[in-house]
Amino acid sequence: TFVPTDASFDHLIRYPLGWINAQGEAENAPVGKRIRPLLVLLSCEAAGGNWKTALPAAAAVEFLHNFSLIHDDIQDNSEIRRSRPTVWKIWGSANAINAGDAMFTLAYISLQQLTKVVTASITLKVWDIFNRTNLDLTRGQHMDMRFEQEQSITIDAYLSMIAGKSASLVAACAEIGALIGSGSETIARHFGA
């Protein structure tokens, strides 16, 4: 395993985002489609808002998603993500956990920036959706890890797991974007359904 000489804090954050390679050189690495932040922006616009208003929330969901991937890779002992070595494989589990925790914190710092562009009431409602989604994600990951130890699972149990791991964040992105764009919880709930 290659261990770079500079494992600075920002290096551990920038690598999983695809901004640098393991050696710290600028890179445009494959980082997925970024569908979640795009969905926040598109939902905001579709609900009548200006997509730029939702940028803090879009950044927050991207940080949250990457946090979950870093931790998931450790928990699943996955050595490769998006055709590159995972953070824990390069820098070890302790550094990867720390990098994931930093991503989680950056998600909340990003959400806090909403107070500059929407009302405090809307910001708190977005935080509520975001917090409930975090619980869904961790529940889904718990079920995923538990299923690895079981001989068989029911279809309902599997659907519940993927609802927590994948579907809940996608639904939250649509709901959050629509809430920011419209200011209406009713409209936002329709987007998240």
Side-chain angles (χ1 to χ4, degrees), residues 152-163:
S152 66
I153 59 168
T154 67
I155 291 173
D156 287 341
Y158 177 76
L159 291 174
S160 179
M161 183 268 294
I162 63 170

Side-chain angles (χ1 to χ4, degrees), residues 75-87:
Q75 293 164 336
D76 293 346
N77 206 30
S78 299
E79 297 182 1
I80 302 292
R81 173 153 314 266
R82 300 176 182 136
S83 304
R84 301 183 335 148
T86 56
V87 176

